[in-house]
Amino acid sequence: MPDRRTFIRKTALAAGSSLLAASVGQKAAAVVPQHEGHLILSTWSFGMKANAKAMEMLQAGSRLLDAVEEGVKVVEADPSMTSVGLSGFPDRDGNVTLDACIMDEEGKAGSVTFLQYIEHPVSVARLVMEKTPHVMLSGKGALRFALDNGFRMKKGLSPQARQAWEEWKKKTGYVPRPSADNHDTIGLIARSAQGKLAGACTTSGVAFKMYGRVGDSPIIGAGLYVDPLVGAATATGVGEYVMRICGAHTIVELMRQGVPPQQACVEALKRIVQRHQSLEGVQVGFLALHRSGSYGAYALRPGFQYALSLGNNHALHDAPAMFAEEKK
Ligand code: SD4
């Protein structure tokens, strides 16, 4: 007799397959109605304030890339955030290390990984894109580049984060274990009324990770991907699982083949399920946005919320999930 986990896996795979089969058979029909105006999608409830800022800027006539950057900066600067920016939880040695990336309306990309002491890693990522011949700078190199470009060093490890870290050390004995309840990245993808696309993704990474660990969020094609001719996608959750399947790029490639955004998210999650024996405690969520304005959201487990802004309409939604288990 199959055990419960095998049963859930098989049921989820079957559900994913039939959804995908249905979508491939009906390529012309988008899951949700297309939208003509500005559209912003972002991860988790704090996406609401990022969307609000980005939408306000778009409506005032700002460039899409500026709106996307300033939107996620609201979350990076929020001192109550424990998973984005300098107030994020540290690695297991007490260092707050930040990952971020951004992609513009032409599909250009910039990224920083393992960056310390900088309040707005997404802005450094943008400068990497705009001022260097490279896509990604890391660690001390990224920090030096930031300082050379006028960024100031700020201390990380807030009292709240320090306390959580001290408690974690007592409880776990220094064993890093990315789980469903110690992360939450902001990934934001947007389409302007003119049909342009851009996106940004920024995080302090999974809490209490190993020193030097970099997740999916700053990896172009894993945590974020924008193809101006096709669409955009972003990811949240345990980055190792997203990176193994190049999550965001996979979704965009599926959309290129005609798969609607919702089903593209399902298919990407199906690949994660297929290649892992156990996904205990793992959450992954994807958002996808087609160039036409149709969009999708899907997660491994219930609990993944996303913020959707259509013009002046801002709402927080629960993403449908592959597994029935009630975990974050
Ligand atoms: C990472 N994906 O570093 C990020 C963490 C995260 O919600 O929170 N995502 O793996």
Side-chain angles (χ1 to χ4, degrees), residues 20 241-242 245-252 254 262-274 284 286 298 300 322:
L20 183 71
Y241 295 82
V242 177
I245 65 146
C246 292
H249 186 259
T250 292
I251 290 169
V252 171
L254 286 163
Q262 180 71 25
Q263 274 66 39
C265 294
V266 172
E267 170 65 7
L269 277 161
K270 219 165 59 121
R271 288 192 194 175
I272 292 176
V273 173
Q274 274 165 343
V284 172
F286 288 125
Y298 204 61
L300 214 45
M322 190 169 268

Short mmCIF file of all heavy atoms in Angstrom, two decimals, residues 20 241-242 245-252 254 262-274 284 286 298 300 322:
data_model
loop_
_atom_site.label_atom_id
_atom_site.label_comp_id
_atom_site.label_asym_id
_atom_site.label_seq_id
_atom_site.Cartn_x
_atom_site.Cartn_y
_atom_site.Cartn_z
N LEU A 20 -1.95 20.23 -17.16
CA LEU A 20 -1.06 20.62 -18.25
C LEU A 20 -1.62 20.11 -19.57
O LEU A 20 -1.65 20.82 -20.56
CB LEU A 20 0.34 20.05 -18.02
CG LEU A 20 1.32 20.49 -19.09
CD1 LEU A 20 1.63 21.97 -18.92
CD2 LEU A 20 2.57 19.68 -19.05
N TYR A 241 15.59 24.21 -4.60
CA TYR A 241 14.65 23.45 -5.43
C TYR A 241 14.33 24.22 -6.71
O TYR A 241 14.10 23.63 -7.76
CB TYR A 241 13.38 23.14 -4.62
CG TYR A 241 13.69 22.21 -3.46
CD1 TYR A 241 14.22 22.71 -2.27
CD2 TYR A 241 13.53 20.84 -3.58
CE1 TYR A 241 14.57 21.88 -1.22
CE2 TYR A 241 13.87 19.98 -2.54
CZ TYR A 241 14.40 20.52 -1.37
OH TYR A 241 14.75 19.68 -0.34
N VAL A 242 14.30 25.53 -6.61
CA VAL A 242 14.02 26.37 -7.78
C VAL A 242 15.21 26.36 -8.74
O VAL A 242 15.07 26.26 -9.96
CB VAL A 242 13.71 27.82 -7.34
CG1 VAL A 242 13.48 28.72 -8.54
CG2 VAL A 242 12.51 27.86 -6.40
N ILE A 245 15.81 23.42 -11.29
CA ILE A 245 15.03 23.36 -12.54
C ILE A 245 15.03 24.70 -13.29
O ILE A 245 14.24 24.88 -14.23
CB ILE A 245 13.58 22.91 -12.29
CG1 ILE A 245 12.82 23.95 -11.44
CG2 ILE A 245 13.50 21.53 -11.66
CD1 ILE A 245 11.37 24.05 -11.80
N CYS A 246 15.89 25.63 -12.89
CA CYS A 246 15.88 26.97 -13.51
C CYS A 246 14.44 27.47 -13.60
O CYS A 246 13.91 27.75 -14.69
CB CYS A 246 16.50 26.95 -14.90
SG CYS A 246 18.24 26.61 -14.86
N GLY A 247 13.79 27.56 -12.44
CA GLY A 247 12.35 27.76 -12.36
C GLY A 247 11.77 28.86 -13.25
O GLY A 247 10.88 28.61 -14.06
N ALA A 248 12.24 30.09 -13.09
CA ALA A 248 11.62 31.20 -13.81
C ALA A 248 11.83 31.06 -15.33
O ALA A 248 10.92 31.32 -16.12
CB ALA A 248 12.18 32.54 -13.31
N HIS A 249 13.01 30.63 -15.72
CA HIS A 249 13.28 30.45 -17.15
C HIS A 249 12.42 29.33 -17.73
O HIS A 249 11.88 29.45 -18.84
CB HIS A 249 14.77 30.16 -17.36
CG HIS A 249 15.16 30.09 -18.80
ND1 HIS A 249 15.33 28.92 -19.47
CD2 HIS A 249 15.36 31.08 -19.71
CE1 HIS A 249 15.66 29.16 -20.73
NE2 HIS A 249 15.67 30.47 -20.90
N THR A 250 12.27 28.27 -16.98
CA THR A 250 11.42 27.16 -17.44
C THR A 250 10.01 27.66 -17.73
O THR A 250 9.41 27.32 -18.76
CB THR A 250 11.40 26.06 -16.34
OG1 THR A 250 12.70 25.49 -16.28
CG2 THR A 250 10.37 24.99 -16.63
N ILE A 251 9.50 28.47 -16.82
CA ILE A 251 8.12 28.97 -16.98
C ILE A 251 8.02 29.85 -18.23
O ILE A 251 7.08 29.73 -19.02
CB ILE A 251 7.68 29.73 -15.71
CG1 ILE A 251 7.50 28.72 -14.57
CG2 ILE A 251 6.41 30.53 -15.94
CD1 ILE A 251 7.33 29.35 -13.21
N VAL A 252 9.00 30.72 -18.41
CA VAL A 252 8.96 31.61 -19.58
C VAL A 252 9.07 30.79 -20.87
O VAL A 252 8.37 31.05 -21.86
CB VAL A 252 10.04 32.70 -19.49
CG1 VAL A 252 10.14 33.49 -20.79
CG2 VAL A 252 9.74 33.64 -18.33
N LEU A 254 8.09 27.73 -21.31
CA LEU A 254 6.79 27.07 -21.54
C LEU A 254 5.79 28.05 -22.14
O LEU A 254 5.03 27.71 -23.06
CB LEU A 254 6.26 26.48 -20.23
CG LEU A 254 6.99 25.21 -19.77
CD1 LEU A 254 6.71 24.92 -18.31
CD2 LEU A 254 6.59 24.02 -20.63
N GLN A 262 -0.61 30.08 -15.99
CA GLN A 262 -0.97 29.25 -14.84
C GLN A 262 -0.43 27.82 -15.02
O GLN A 262 0.17 27.25 -14.12
CB GLN A 262 -2.49 29.22 -14.68
CG GLN A 262 -3.00 28.39 -13.52
CD GLN A 262 -2.68 29.03 -12.17
OE1 GLN A 262 -2.53 30.24 -12.07
NE2 GLN A 262 -2.55 28.22 -11.14
N GLN A 263 -0.63 27.27 -16.18
CA GLN A 263 -0.18 25.90 -16.42
C GLN A 263 1.33 25.81 -16.50
O GLN A 263 1.92 24.79 -16.17
CB GLN A 263 -0.81 25.35 -17.70
CG GLN A 263 -2.19 24.73 -17.47
CD GLN A 263 -3.20 25.77 -17.05
OE1 GLN A 263 -3.19 26.90 -17.57
NE2 GLN A 263 -4.06 25.45 -16.11
N ALA A 264 1.96 26.90 -16.93
CA ALA A 264 3.43 26.91 -16.96
C ALA A 264 3.97 26.79 -15.53
O ALA A 264 4.94 26.08 -15.27
CB ALA A 264 3.93 28.18 -17.62
N CYS A 265 3.31 27.46 -14.58
CA CYS A 265 3.72 27.35 -13.16
C CYS A 265 3.49 25.91 -12.66
O CYS A 265 4.32 25.35 -11.94
CB CYS A 265 2.92 28.32 -12.30
SG CYS A 265 3.24 30.05 -12.62
N VAL A 266 2.38 25.33 -13.04
CA VAL A 266 2.08 23.94 -12.62
C VAL A 266 3.16 23.00 -13.13
O VAL A 266 3.70 22.16 -12.40
CB VAL A 266 0.69 23.49 -13.15
CG1 VAL A 266 0.46 22.01 -12.89
CG2 VAL A 266 -0.43 24.33 -12.52
N GLU A 267 3.51 23.16 -14.39
CA GLU A 267 4.50 22.26 -15.00
C GLU A 267 5.86 22.40 -14.33
O GLU A 267 6.55 21.42 -14.08
CB GLU A 267 4.60 22.56 -16.51
CG GLU A 267 5.74 21.87 -17.22
CD GLU A 267 5.64 20.36 -17.25
OE1 GLU A 267 4.60 19.80 -16.84
OE2 GLU A 267 6.62 19.72 -17.67
N ALA A 268 6.25 23.63 -14.01
CA ALA A 268 7.55 23.84 -13.35
C ALA A 268 7.55 23.16 -11.97
O ALA A 268 8.51 22.49 -11.59
CB ALA A 268 7.84 25.33 -13.21
N LEU A 269 6.44 23.29 -11.26
CA LEU A 269 6.37 22.63 -9.94
C LEU A 269 6.34 21.12 -10.08
O LEU A 269 6.90 20.40 -9.25
CB LEU A 269 5.15 23.14 -9.17
CG LEU A 269 5.46 24.46 -8.47
CD1 LEU A 269 4.20 25.22 -8.11
CD2 LEU A 269 6.29 24.22 -7.21
N LYS A 270 5.74 20.64 -11.12
CA LYS A 270 5.70 19.20 -11.38
C LYS A 270 7.13 18.67 -11.56
O LYS A 270 7.47 17.60 -11.09
CB LYS A 270 4.89 18.95 -12.65
CG LYS A 270 4.01 17.73 -12.59
CD LYS A 270 2.99 17.74 -13.69
CE LYS A 270 3.64 17.79 -15.02
NZ LYS A 270 3.42 16.76 -15.96
N ARG A 271 7.97 19.45 -12.22
CA ARG A 271 9.36 19.02 -12.41
C ARG A 271 10.08 18.92 -11.07
O ARG A 271 10.89 18.03 -10.85
CB ARG A 271 10.13 20.00 -13.30
CG ARG A 271 9.68 19.90 -14.72
CD ARG A 271 10.61 20.63 -15.65
NE ARG A 271 9.93 20.77 -16.93
CZ ARG A 271 10.41 21.44 -17.95
NH1 ARG A 271 11.58 22.04 -17.84
NH2 ARG A 271 9.74 21.53 -19.07
N ILE A 272 9.78 19.84 -10.18
CA ILE A 272 10.40 19.78 -8.84
C ILE A 272 9.93 18.51 -8.12
O ILE A 272 10.72 17.77 -7.55
CB ILE A 272 10.06 21.04 -8.02
CG1 ILE A 272 10.75 22.25 -8.65
CG2 ILE A 272 10.45 20.88 -6.56
CD1 ILE A 272 10.42 23.59 -7.99
N VAL A 273 8.63 18.25 -8.19
CA VAL A 273 8.08 17.07 -7.50
C VAL A 273 8.69 15.80 -8.08
O VAL A 273 9.08 14.90 -7.35
CB VAL A 273 6.54 17.06 -7.61
CG1 VAL A 273 5.96 15.77 -7.07
CG2 VAL A 273 5.95 18.26 -6.88
N GLN A 274 8.82 15.74 -9.40
CA GLN A 274 9.31 14.54 -10.05
C GLN A 274 10.74 14.19 -9.65
O GLN A 274 11.10 13.04 -9.61
CB GLN A 274 9.27 14.71 -11.57
CG GLN A 274 7.92 14.35 -12.14
CD GLN A 274 7.75 14.86 -13.57
OE1 GLN A 274 8.49 15.73 -14.03
NE2 GLN A 274 6.76 14.31 -14.26
N VAL A 284 7.62 26.09 -2.39
CA VAL A 284 8.05 26.85 -3.57
C VAL A 284 6.80 27.47 -4.17
O VAL A 284 5.76 26.81 -4.28
CB VAL A 284 8.73 25.95 -4.63
CG1 VAL A 284 8.98 26.74 -5.93
CG2 VAL A 284 10.05 25.40 -4.11
N PHE A 286 5.47 30.07 -7.50
CA PHE A 286 5.83 30.75 -8.75
C PHE A 286 4.75 31.75 -9.15
O PHE A 286 3.55 31.48 -8.96
CB PHE A 286 5.97 29.74 -9.90
CG PHE A 286 7.19 28.87 -9.83
CD1 PHE A 286 7.06 27.47 -9.85
CD2 PHE A 286 8.46 29.41 -9.77
CE1 PHE A 286 8.18 26.66 -9.80
CE2 PHE A 286 9.59 28.60 -9.72
CZ PHE A 286 9.45 27.21 -9.74
N TYR A 298 1.12 29.66 -8.67
CA TYR A 298 0.95 28.29 -8.19
C TYR A 298 2.04 27.99 -7.17
O TYR A 298 3.15 28.51 -7.26
CB TYR A 298 1.05 27.31 -9.37
CG TYR A 298 0.34 26.00 -9.14
CD1 TYR A 298 -1.02 25.96 -8.91
CD2 TYR A 298 1.05 24.81 -9.14
CE1 TYR A 298 -1.68 24.75 -8.70
CE2 TYR A 298 0.41 23.59 -8.94
CZ TYR A 298 -0.95 23.57 -8.72
OH TYR A 298 -1.60 22.38 -8.52
N LEU A 300 3.69 24.88 -4.22
CA LEU A 300 3.74 23.47 -3.81
C LEU A 300 2.68 23.20 -2.75
O LEU A 300 2.01 22.19 -2.75
CB LEU A 300 5.14 23.22 -3.26
CG LEU A 300 5.82 21.89 -3.44
CD1 LEU A 300 5.69 21.36 -4.85
CD2 LEU A 300 7.30 22.05 -3.06
N MET A 322 -0.31 22.54 -5.20
CA MET A 322 -0.25 21.17 -5.69
C MET A 322 -0.58 20.17 -4.59
O MET A 322 -1.30 19.22 -4.80
CB MET A 322 1.15 20.93 -6.24
CG MET A 322 1.29 19.66 -6.99
SD MET A 322 2.88 19.61 -7.85
CE MET A 322 2.45 20.30 -9.43
#
